[in-house]
């Protein structure tokens, strides 16, 4: 059974440092996996506070390429970690958000982290293109098909001018055979994510979900659709954090 500690999140009680971003420590049978790294500043102090030894991280999984999930990569390496790094194709693409009444914002992986990943040993990089069992009972979804009709659009683009919408196709989640589903930002939609997992692994009943559900700017209809879907799962635990919907710094776009 996986044990999970929240290291970086938008809301953290003192003495933890709050930051718009996500990082989770996952203790599995193979050791310590880090799921995302937050933006960077909160990772190291919060890991120390939580008693998580970042130098012992043997696997890093990126949920997708946004800065609030990838920006701590260099900070992690500086702690002495030499993890296997798992990510889906497109992680390092250029990315921008264009929220109404807000300046265009570069939301890609920070350049310093992109360069570090480019220079990272090829044998330690695992590109996940499809549903993959990365250790017994632990599955990475790879890119998630958008099949449910769920509204997963947003003001996200691959170019600064906003001519090429970004489907954030690299978004991936982790499914454990104990029924735990770990999600990053859920740009693919939680309904799509759950249904994809159910289609590939129908024998695993999803009992727990943790991560961001990206509902902050969702329509009332989408929130209600999501609520009734989650209700139908009869979950034992739902830990909806990060971009799910709590606005901390009003005016700062959430990605
Ligand atoms: Fe995010
Ligand atoms: Fe995101």
């Amino acid at each position: 059974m996986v044990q999970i500690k929240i290291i970086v999140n938008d809301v953290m009680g003192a003495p933890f440092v709050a930051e718009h971003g996500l990082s989770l420590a996952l203790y599995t049978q193979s050791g310590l996996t880090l799921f995302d790294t937050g933006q960077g500043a909160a990772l190291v102090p919060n890991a120390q506070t939580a008693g998580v030894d970042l130098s012992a991280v043997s696997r890093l999984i990126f949920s997708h390429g946004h800065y609030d999930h990838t920006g701590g990569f260099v900070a992690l390496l500086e702690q002495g970690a030499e993890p296997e790094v798992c990510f889906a194709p497109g992680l390092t693409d250029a990315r921008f958000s264009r929220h109404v009444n807000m300046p265009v914002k570069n939301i890609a992986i920070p350049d310093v982290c992109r360069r570090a990943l480019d220079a990272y040993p090829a044998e330690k990089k695992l590109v996940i293109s499809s549903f993959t069992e990365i250790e017994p009972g632990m599955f990475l979804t790879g890119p998630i098909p958008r099949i449910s009709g769920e509204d997963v659009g947003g003001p996200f683009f691959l170019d600064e001018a906003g001519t090429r919408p970004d489907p954030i196709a690299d978004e991936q989640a982790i499914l454990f055979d104990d029924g735990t589903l770990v999600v990053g930002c859920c740009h693919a939609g939680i309904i799509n994510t759950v249904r994809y997992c159910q289609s590939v692994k129908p024998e695993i009943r999803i009992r727990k979900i943790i991560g961001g559900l990206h509902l902050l700017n969702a329509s009332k209809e989408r929130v209600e659709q999501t609520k009734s879907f989650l209700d139908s799962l009869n979950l034992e635990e739902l830990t909806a954090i990060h971009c799910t919907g709590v606005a901390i710094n009003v005016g700062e776009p959430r990605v």
Side-chain angles (χ1 to χ4, degrees):
M1 178 179 286
V2 58
Q3 292 189 312
I4 302 175
K5 286 186 176 181
I6 299 172
I7 306 300
V8 178
N9 185 38
D10 297 49
V11 180
M12 300 285 280
F16 289 93
V17 179
E19 172 185 280
H20 172 54
L22 183 69
S23 179
L24 305 175
L26 312 176
Y27 291 91
T28 73
Q29 58 187 280
S30 74
L32 174 55
T33 289
L34 197 68
F35 181 65
D36 290 334
T37 63
Q39 292 188 38
L43 179 67
V44 173
N46 283 358
Q48 286 171 349
T49 301
V52 172
D53 178 6
L54 291 177
S55 71
V57 171
S58 59
R59 181 190 293 122
L60 170 64
I61 297 169
F62 283 126
S63 65
H64 65 300
H66 283 160
Y67 73 98
D68 54 314
H69 297 256
T70 56
F73 181 51
V74 169
L76 174 65
L77 298 183
E78 287 173 349
Q79 295 304 302
E82 297 178 347
E84 170 186 70
V85 184
C86 306
F87 54 92
L91 183 91
T92 57
D93 285 352
R95 294 187 145 138
F96 301 88
S97 65
R98 296 175 60 90
H99 290 270
V100 175
N101 296 327
M102 296 291 296
V104 177
K105 184 174 181 180
N106 180 350
I107 57 172
I109 181 174
D111 286 341
V112 65
C113 294
R114 179 189 284 109
R115 287 195 294 271
L117 188 59
D118 286 346
Y120 204 63
E123 66 272 17
K124 284 188 168 262
K125 289 187 277 197
L126 199 57
V127 178
I128 308 293
S129 299
S130 60
F131 203 95
T132 302
E133 187 169 24
I134 56 171
E135 70 174 59
M138 180 178 183
F139 306 90
L140 269 182
T141 63
I144 298 165
R146 319 287 168 97
I147 52 176
S148 73
E150 185 178 10
D151 171 17
V152 294
F156 304 118
F157 298 90
L158 295 165
D159 62 326
E160 196 164 1
T163 64
R164 295 164 51 219
D166 181 1
I168 315 174
D170 56 317
E171 176 96 34
Q172 61 173 348
I174 311 172
L175 177 67
F176 290 92
D177 64 0
D178 69 357
T180 301
L181 178 65
V182 182
V183 298
C185 254
C186 252
H187 292 291
I190 189 64
I191 300 175
N192 284 325
T193 303
V194 168
R195 287 200 170 144
Y196 183 49
C197 290
Q198 289 171 330
S199 72
V200 181
K201 285 286 166 191
E203 68 275 24
I204 298 176
R205 185 178 87 77
I206 293 175
R207 301 182 300 115
K208 302 179 183 180
I209 297 177
I210 181 169
L213 303 187
H214 209 270
L215 296 171
L216 180 64
N217 299 311
S219 65
K220 189 164 177 281
E221 291 72 24
R222 186 178 173 209
V223 171
E224 287 176 354
Q225 178 193 30
T226 302
K227 179 184 182 305
S228 60
F229 177 79
L230 292 172
D231 284 346
S232 75
L233 296 176
N234 289 316
L235 297 172
E236 294 169 13
E237 286 183 32
L238 173 61
T239 306
I241 52 177
H242 180 41
C243 55
T244 299
V246 178
I248 300 303
N249 299 315
V250 173
E252 181 186 344
R254 293 292 191 269
V255 295

